[in-house]
Amino acid sequence: MKEKLEALKIEALAQLEQVSDPQTLNDLRIKYLGKKGALTEILRGMGSLSAEERPVIGQVANDVRGAIEEIIESKQQAFQRAETEQRLRAERVDVTLPGRKMPQGGVHPLNKVIAEIEDIFLGMGYRVAEGPEVETDYFNFEALNLPKNHPARDMQDSFYVTEELLMRTHTSPVQVRTMQSMHGETPLKVICPGKVYRRDDDDATHSFQFHQIEGIVIGENIRMSDLKGTLLQFSREMFGSQTQIRLRPSFFPFTEPSAEMDVTCVQCGGSGCRMCKQTGWLEILGCGMVHPKVLEMGGYDPEKYSGFAFGMGVERIAILKYGIDDIRHFYNSDMAFLKQFARN
């Protein structure tokens, strides 16, 4: 039996030395050391040995097993090192190559304009207020001096959800909600940005959904001159320090007196061009002194307090500021158009 073990050792070591891949190594391990392997088969004959021979043969068998396991472990480690080195070579990064510039998004032009308008009015002491886009008829119309069946409601063709719920047609309801939340306290100075909805056909200048920013100021002795000074300051910060404004009489149910405000043309500076139709002026917003009924429904005594309000379309401001010729560009997700603003 001793001779068989020695012969097995010589055979196994010779074959293991020639192994060149992990699979063959594993096959030889099973062949010589497995439960049905060659070494196990030889050791089955241990029962026929005398008591004196068993320890000797056992020691030889352990030596044979140890020699075979040692070379198998050595080979396994060599294969693992080779695999690791191969993987490292495959995954190697050449740090001398120039870096790859990752594409970056940009702020949408409408969000840019909203943020700029907010910054201007925050600098004048206003705060930002927001409200629901699905609004009640009361806040959208009645509390703004537009009772049911009022003919001025036709100025804003609306999306109704129920008889009493609709998609808000302006952000003025936020003004009323803010007024009522103040419980008659002054001063009140807020701007109200957000989306609004009207049943308009989409074209170069109209959309069924657009953005507005409205503002309201309430206090004692608030005058039309305060409104004009505020809007002049806003216009000059938005369009340039040389900008002039003019107010033209108009009508809004929630202000009295009311006005449309124009600014000197951003393209020609007021000298007259195609953009301003040779007038030198561009209309950008509506404004006026808060109607006494609106003050009263907002929780303020119109005999003691007065206020002014204004509202502008964000798309209108953005079109003038960036020289855009079609409102639909803002919503078509045209990457060529949007990338112009990502660089700014």
Side-chain angles (χ1 to χ4, degrees), residues 58-72:
Q59 182 61 47
V60 174
N62 287 337
D63 292 342
V64 171
R65 182 183 293 277
I68 295 174
E69 287 178 342
E70 182 178 354
I71 192 170
I72 289 175

Side-chain angles (χ1 to χ4, degrees), residues 47-65:
S48 62
L49 298 176
S50 65
E52 293 80 10
E53 291 177 314
R54 286 177 185 172
V56 176
I57 298 302
Q59 182 61 47
V60 174
N62 287 337
D63 292 342
V64 171
R65 182 183 293 277

Side-chain angles (χ1 to χ4, degrees), residues 212-254:
Q212 276 191 344
I213 292 184
E214 302 193 20
I216 187 169
V217 173
I218 296 176
E220 295 186 44
N221 301 315
I222 301 297
R223 301 179 295 272
M224 195 77 174
S225 57
D226 299 315
L227 169 62
K228 186 174 182 180
T230 298
L231 296 180
L232 177 61
Q233 179 67 20
F234 160 72
S235 300
R236 288 181 171 174
E237 291 197 39
M238 177 58 68
F239 299 111
S241 60
Q242 302 304 312
T243 303
Q244 299 296 326
I245 68 170
R246 71 176 184 183
L247 301 180
R248 293 179 288 106
S250 186
F251 166 76
F252 300 110
F254 28 81

Side-chain angles (χ1 to χ4, degrees), residues 114-187:
I114 290 172
E116 187 172 354
I117 294 173
E118 288 179 348
D119 285 345
I120 291 171
F121 282 101
L122 288 172
M124 289 192 280
Y126 288 67
R127 63 185 177 90
V128 177
E130 296 181 339
E133 294 179 18
V134 179
E135 190 55 273
T136 65
D137 185 90
Y138 171 78
F139 282 110
N140 197 80
F141 289 125
E142 293 182 43
L144 292 166
N145 198 32
L146 283 161
K148 293 186 185 297
N149 301 318
H150 193 289
R153 288 195 182 202
D154 294 338
M155 297 168 61
Q156 301 175 3
D157 205 359
S158 311
F159 290 107
Y160 273 88
V161 180
T162 68
E163 288 188 2
E164 293 300 322
L165 288 176
L166 71 156
M167 304 302 292
R168 67 183 181 188
T169 59
H170 43 194
T171 57
S172 300
V174 184
Q175 296 179 350
V176 179
R177 289 177 178 275
T178 305
M179 291 165 64
Q180 292 184 359
S181 70
M182 293 288 288
H183 304 292
E185 294 183 7
T186 58

